[in-house]
Amino acid sequence: HSIKRLLPASITQKELLAEVEKLNQDPTIDGILVQLPLPQQIDPKTITEAIDPAKDVDGFHPVNVGKLLLGIDDGFISCTPLG
């Protein structure tokens, strides 16, 4: 199953981080995908790094990017580099 959370463009970074943390802590959620680009007031790097690497479906978290570069395939790998 999937859950779509459509949040307002006026959301603050603090509020978005709280939403990400809820998803990180939810054992029924296996993966998180944050649609980019984000509103101007949100730093995408901060949000990307807040996602649990084990739930980072895009493979953008620094841990998963590092694993990709090192050839370690036990994390999420973005579908384009994997292909």
Side-chain angles (χ1 to χ4, degrees):
H1 83 280
S2 65
I3 298 169
K4 180 179 179 179
R5 299 237 173 127
L6 185 58
L7 304 171
S10 61
I11 192 169
T12 67
Q13 182 161 297
K14 183 177 178 178
E15 291 168 330
L16 183 53
L17 286 169
E19 290 292 326
V20 169
E21 187 55 28
K22 285 180 198 173
L23 297 171
N24 281 339
Q25 297 303 317
D26 186 338
T28 68
I29 300 296
D30 296 321
I32 301 169
L33 188 144
V34 175
Q35 184 65 50
L36 300 175
L38 293 169
Q40 213 172 32
Q41 71 275 14
I42 308 288
D43 176 33
K45 182 176 175 274
T46 299
I47 302 305
T48 299
E49 291 176 355
I51 298 171
D52 181 338
K55 294 186 178 192
D56 171 33
V57 175
D58 278 323
F60 291 162
H61 190 282
V63 168
N64 290 326
V65 171
K67 286 181 175 185
L68 174 66
L69 292 174
L70 294 172
I72 301 169
D73 63 359
D74 68 346
F76 273 112
I77 300 174
S78 184
C79 60
T80 303
L82 183 61

